[in-house]
Amino acid sequence: SSGCTSCPENLYSDSQTNSECVICPANHTNLETGNTVCNMCIIGYGKETGDVCRGCGSSSYTYSDEIADAACKDCPANTKPVCTTGECNSIDVCKCKEGYTLENGACVACTSGTFKNHIGNEACTNCISPYTSSSGSTECDQCINTHWRDGSVCVENQRCSTYSNCANDYYNTYS
């Protein structure tokens, strides 16, 4: 007499007439024996549309830290994942985006006069005078109030090449 045997975890039998267990499709799994489907995504993958498990990752700002029949999880505010698609398997891959630093467990904007031009939880860098920045900056692209901008350079307010470049009460001394 022939008996039925349950398929073990990560294997399934898709038909009552199929006598063999089959390995779950790529990036899919199940957590129990005796399955007829593999409807869960492995860690680092989630369901975006339908039943297909797709890699969580940098283009979608997502991660997945558990085997689940669910979509990838969003990284917290002001973060981006630092990982390869499908390898985004923990909230730890979510790092502060450019212009933000980690303070008390949350990513906050760099303060005025500082900047950060890369993804990571490191501190923001101070601007070097006469350059400064506004809050959340990725570069020091402004001049302190005693200087004016001449192209990409901050110049002291002594002579202005055009009236529109003059700051405060300075005026054009060129004729």
Side-chain angles (χ1 to χ4, degrees):
S1 77
S2 68
C4 295
T5 304
S6 293
C7 292
E9 183 178 320
N10 205 33
L11 298 175
Y12 73 105
S13 177
D14 60 359
S15 167
Q16 290 181 349
T17 60
N18 190 350
S19 61
E20 293 184 19
C21 296
V22 180
I23 295 175
C24 291
N27 311 320
H28 291 73
T29 191
N30 53 49
L31 295 176
E32 300 171 359
T33 60
N35 280 295
T36 59
V37 294
C38 294
N39 60 348
M40 302 181 93
C41 298
I42 63 173
I43 294 173
Y45 289 77
K47 293 184 178 177
E48 292 182 23
T49 55
D51 284 334
V52 178
C53 294
R54 300 195 189 281
C56 305
S58 56
S59 63
S60 58
Y61 299 155
T62 59
Y63 71 99
S64 172
D65 58 358
E66 62 185 344
I67 294 173
D69 184 15
C72 298
K73 299 174 183 177
D74 291 332
C75 281
N78 303 317
T79 67
K80 293 181 178 180
V82 179
C83 53
T84 305
T85 298
E87 300 294 322
C88 301
N89 56 12
S90 163
I91 194 168
D92 294 337
V93 303
C94 301
K95 306 290 183 189
C96 296
K97 67 182 186 179
E98 303 90 337
Y100 287 77
T101 187
L102 188 65
E103 284 184 15
N104 301 320
C107 293
V108 297
C110 295
T111 58
S112 297
T114 67
F115 75 102
K116 194 173 96 193
N117 61 6
H118 61 278
I119 298 170
N121 294 340
E122 302 83 15
C124 299
T125 303
N126 289 325
C127 294
I128 299 172
S129 187
Y131 297 92
T132 190
S133 66
S134 57
S135 177
S137 289
T138 59
E139 62 182 338
C140 298
D141 58 354
Q142 298 173 7
C143 302
I144 60 175
N145 64 4
T146 58
H147 288 66
W148 58 276
R149 193 148 183 104
D150 188 5
S152 63
V153 179
C154 290
V155 180
E156 281 190 80
N157 282 331
Q158 293 174 0
R159 295 185 192 171
C160 304
S161 58
T162 66
Y163 180 76
S164 63
N165 282 345
C166 295
N168 301 329
D169 294 327
Y170 292 89
Y171 59 92
N172 184 346
T173 58
Y174 293 109
S175 36

